[in-house]
């Protein structure tokens, strides 16, 4: 129902290194309204399946006396929910209100009176003024997945008018007011259980939330909640862990997630904000996996430097540091570059080790529920770490290292970054009208959503 549509990103339990989230998600009133539209359509289909039980009774009708009646095979032929609204209940949940709904029913009747006279026919019922108020609570299940439940429900029917057809229906319409009341009570009793079932039916689909999303063969990212949803007017805020881990080995990053808050924007349905903690945890994970290194072989640089028969190992010395500043994302990296001479027999002889401090800027993009990036070199500085060939001027290698970074290392890194990593998502969700902003200490994605199934 509507929670599947307007709360696609509600996740689970707190299990975090820091009380601060790495990712924040805000569901705005615009998102709630979209959820209301889809949710009411879903609820309409569910209510059409309502089973009205057969019932019978006795009433005294002038001038024929006591009449025994039974109503059977009552079913809905038309149903409308013309007015509905959705509101946040601060600190509690989401309330869906439906008013002035109508139902048209059809069924069969049978009566017996004066002991021996029997009659039967069909009936129509026009139900008006149906109102439903449903509050839905969100919590986490034992596995850390979101779970929806009915917190409170009330239903009322203003009127139910019965019209008999066939037989001596003109006579039986005289006591229809007694049946009107019985039908009204029967319908009121059916509504809340049906809505509760609709909510329960959401849970298998809510389990599609990518709480633990695989990035590649080295890493996965966790989107569990580090606190309960913050429900206030006019938005719902979700605080997600947003931390990368090595696959199969969840070692917490050795640094906390910084505190940050979202601006008061509401033009999009949802806002997804990632602090620097999330990409920095990725750097920690990939460095732990030993993949922040590469050999620059002779064939990679031979065209540029045909007389340079050497091989170089470029390797991260520390975890890269990501910084978000207004409209700018930078990554500061400290690495070593170890140069080897290639002997005629193919063996490698170490020549020197350079310390390489570099800064790159990153252009971010969102596509297919993934956040991708592309880096370009801003600046680089060298210092000599170890030399096996005596002292020499390091700045003489500056141009060579810049070429290696620009033509070999950075393009290789960009191939991987262009693949992106998954954003939190639920089911067949599509992002539309997406805008990306780099703010102080965090990156924010404003977007609308569509569900295709």
């Amino acid at each position: 129902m509507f929670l599947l549509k307007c709360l696609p990103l509600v996740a689970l339990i707190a299990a975090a290194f820091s009380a601060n989230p790495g990712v924040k998600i805000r569901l705005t009133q615009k998102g709630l309204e979209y959820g209301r539209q889809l949710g009411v359509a879903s609820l309409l289909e569910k209510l059409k399946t309502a089973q009205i039980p057969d019932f019978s009774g006795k009433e005294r009708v002038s001038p024929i006396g006591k009449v025994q009646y039974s109503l059977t095979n009552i079913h809905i032929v038309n149903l409308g929910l013309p007015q509905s609204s959705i509101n946040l209940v601060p600190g509690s949940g989401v309330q869906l209100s439906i008013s002035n709904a109508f139902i048209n029913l059809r069924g069969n009747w049978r009566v017996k009176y004066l002991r021996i006279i029997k009659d039967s026919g069909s009936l129509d019922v026009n139900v008006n003024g149906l109102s439903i108020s449903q509050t839905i609570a969100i919590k986490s299940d034992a596995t850390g997945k979101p779970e929806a439940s009915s917190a409170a429900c009330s239903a009322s029917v203003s009127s139910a008018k019965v019209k008999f057809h066939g037989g001596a229906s003109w006579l039986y319409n005289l006591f229809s007011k007694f049946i009107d009341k019985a039908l009204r009570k029967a319908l009121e009793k059916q509504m809340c259980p049906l809505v509760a079932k609709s909510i329960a039916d959401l849970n298998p689909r809510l389990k599609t939330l990518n709480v633990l999303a695989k990035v590649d063969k080295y890493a996965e990212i966790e989107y569990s909640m580090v606190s309960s949803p913050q429900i206030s007017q006019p938005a719902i805020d979700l605080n997600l862990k947003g931390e990368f881990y090595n696959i199969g080995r969840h070692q917490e990053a050795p640094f906390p997630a910084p505190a940050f808050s979202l601006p008061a924007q509401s033009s999009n349905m949802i806002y997804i904000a990632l602090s620097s903690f999330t990409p920095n945890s990725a750097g920690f994970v990939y460095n732990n996996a030993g993949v922040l290194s590469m050999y620059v072989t002779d064939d990679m640089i031979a065209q540029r430097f045909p007389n340079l028969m050497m091989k170089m190992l470029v390797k991260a010395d520390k975890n890269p540091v990501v910084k978000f500043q207004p409209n700018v994302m930078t990554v500061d990296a400290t690495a070593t570059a170890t140069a080897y001479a290639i002997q005629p027999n193919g063996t490698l002889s170490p020549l020197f080790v350079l310390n390489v401090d570099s800064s790159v800027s990153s252009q971010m993009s969102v596509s297919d529920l993934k956040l991708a990036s592309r880096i370009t070199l801003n600046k680089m500085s060298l210092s000599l770490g170890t030399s096996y060939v005596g002292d020499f001027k390091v700045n003489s290698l500056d141009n060579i290292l810049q070429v290696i970074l620009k033509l070999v290392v950075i393009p290789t890194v960009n191939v991987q970054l262009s693949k992106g990593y998954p954003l939190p998502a639920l089911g067949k969700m599509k992002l539309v009208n997406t805008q990306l902003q780099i703010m102080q200490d965090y990156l924010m994605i404003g977007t609308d959503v569509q569900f295709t199934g």
Side-chain angles (χ1 to χ4, degrees):
M1 205 185 61
F2 75 98
L3 278 179
L4 176 64
K5 308 299 183 182
C6 71
L7 299 182
L9 301 168
V10 176
L12 39 117
I13 57 177
F17 172 80
S18 169
N20 294 323
V23 174
K24 288 190 175 188
I25 297 175
R26 172 165 292 172
L27 178 66
T28 67
Q29 190 63 44
K30 182 179 179 181
L32 288 171
E33 176 59 22
Y34 175 66
R36 180 197 65 79
Q37 296 171 13
L38 297 177
V40 168
S42 176
L43 180 59
L44 181 65
E45 295 304 312
K46 181 65 67 175
L47 292 178
K48 287 180 180 179
T49 67
Q51 300 294 317
I52 311 301
D54 298 343
F55 62 94
S56 59
K58 297 179 181 179
E59 295 293 342
R60 184 169 296 277
V61 180
S62 177
I64 60 178
K66 186 181 292 185
V67 176
Q68 294 178 312
Y69 67 88
S70 64
L71 307 182
T72 60
N73 192 31
I74 304 174
H75 57 280
I76 295 174
V77 294
N78 190 25
L79 172 65
L81 306 176
Q83 296 180 3
S84 62
S85 63
I86 190 168
N87 296 287
L88 297 173
V89 182
S92 178
V94 179
Q95 184 179 60
L96 176 67
S97 299
I98 294 172
S99 58
N100 293 325
F102 62 87
I103 306 175
N104 302 126
L105 305 107
R106 189 163 294 156
N108 300 318
W109 61 265
R110 185 179 298 275
V111 300
K112 180 180 179 181
Y113 58 95
L114 298 178
R115 296 183 180 272
I116 59 172
I117 300 177
K118 298 179 180 180
D119 205 353
S120 63
S122 63
L123 61 86
D124 290 315
V125 184
N126 291 325
V127 177
N128 291 291
L130 169 62
S131 297
I132 302 172
S133 178
Q134 172 70 61
T135 300
I136 299 174
I138 305 297
K139 63 178 183 179
S140 299
D141 66 12
T143 65
K145 296 274 181 110
E147 186 173 75
S149 61
S150 174
C153 180
S154 62
S156 63
V157 175
S158 296
S159 66
K161 300 295 184 182
V162 179
K163 182 72 172 180
F164 293 98
H165 305 286
S169 55
W170 63 271
L171 178 61
Y172 312 131
N173 283 324
L174 297 176
F175 70 94
S176 63
K177 63 180 181 179
F178 300 106
I179 299 177
D180 291 349
K181 182 178 180 180
L183 273 173
R184 191 170 69 249
K185 295 298 181 183
L187 285 168
E188 289 175 346
K189 190 176 181 180
Q190 287 284 310
M191 293 300 104
C192 283
L194 278 171
V195 176
K197 187 176 185 304
S198 296
I199 296 170
D201 288 346
L202 281 177
N203 288 319
R205 303 180 71 182
L206 289 174
K207 305 308 178 188
T208 63
L209 180 68
N210 59 342
V211 171
L212 193 62
K214 183 177 180 180
V215 179
D216 52 33
K217 64 180 180 180
Y218 303 106
E220 56 195 3
I221 185 169
E222 183 178 337
Y223 287 122
S224 62
M225 291 185 65
V226 298
S227 64
S228 298
Q230 298 174 348
I231 302 174
S232 60
Q233 295 291 354
I236 299 177
D237 286 344
L238 305 175
N239 296 323
L240 310 184
K241 193 167 189 180
E243 182 170 2
F244 279 77
Y245 291 105
N246 292 109
I247 289 180
R249 183 166 62 91
H250 282 201
Q251 178 184 356
E252 300 295 335
F255 43 81
F260 70 103
S261 58
L262 300 185
Q265 296 188 17
S266 59
S267 58
N268 288 111
M269 294 180 183
I270 63 171
Y271 290 89
I272 306 172
L274 301 89
S275 78
S276 57
F277 173 78
T278 298
N280 281 328
S281 71
F284 170 70
V285 163
Y286 286 108
N287 200 21
N288 271 357
V291 296
L292 297 186
S293 64
M294 68 174 296
Y295 275 103
V296 181
T297 59
D298 180 60
D299 60 326
M300 293 179 180
I301 53 178
Q303 291 183 351
R304 183 78 179 188
F305 301 98
N307 297 320
L308 185 64
M309 299 300 293
M310 63 183 294
K311 187 174 186 177
M312 181 171 287
L313 173 63
V314 181
K315 182 179 181 180
D317 188 47
K318 299 178 181 178
N319 299 325
V321 177
V322 175
K323 297 178 182 178
F324 291 124
Q325 295 176 312
N327 302 316
V328 178
M329 175 183 173
T330 59
V331 184
D332 295 330
T334 300
T336 59
T338 304
Y340 299 90
I342 303 175
Q343 302 297 333
N345 62 2
T347 61
L348 300 178
S349 298
L351 299 175
F352 52 83
V353 180
L354 299 177
N355 299 318
V356 184
D357 293 316
S358 61
S359 175
V360 301
S361 59
S362 178
Q363 293 181 327
M364 310 298 294
S365 61
V366 177
S367 178
D368 297 328
L369 291 171
K370 287 188 175 183
L371 181 63
S373 64
R374 179 180 178 83
I375 61 173
T376 55
L377 182 64
N378 291 332
K379 61 182 179 178
M380 181 199 73
S381 64
L382 300 178
S383 63
L384 182 62
T386 303
S387 176
Y388 301 98
V389 294
D391 292 336
F392 62 92
K393 292 184 178 180
V394 175
N395 57 8
S396 65
L397 297 175
D398 187 81
N399 288 338
I400 296 175
L401 261 294
Q402 289 221 27
V403 169
I404 290 174
L405 288 179
K406 290 181 179 180
L407 298 186
V408 181
V409 177
I410 288 178
T412 301
V413 172
N414 280 336
V415 168
Q416 300 304 315
L417 294 177
S418 66
K419 297 176 182 178
Y421 70 86
L423 293 167
L426 184 66
K428 297 179 179 179
M429 189 174 83
K430 180 182 178 181
L431 305 184
V432 294
N433 303 323
T434 302
Q435 301 177 17
L436 193 150
Q437 302 175 66
I438 300 178
M439 317 289 278
Q440 184 65 44
D441 299 327
Y442 65 94
L443 175 150
M444 187 169 71
I445 301 167
T447 185
D448 296 334
V449 297
Q450 290 179 352
F451 288 89
T452 58

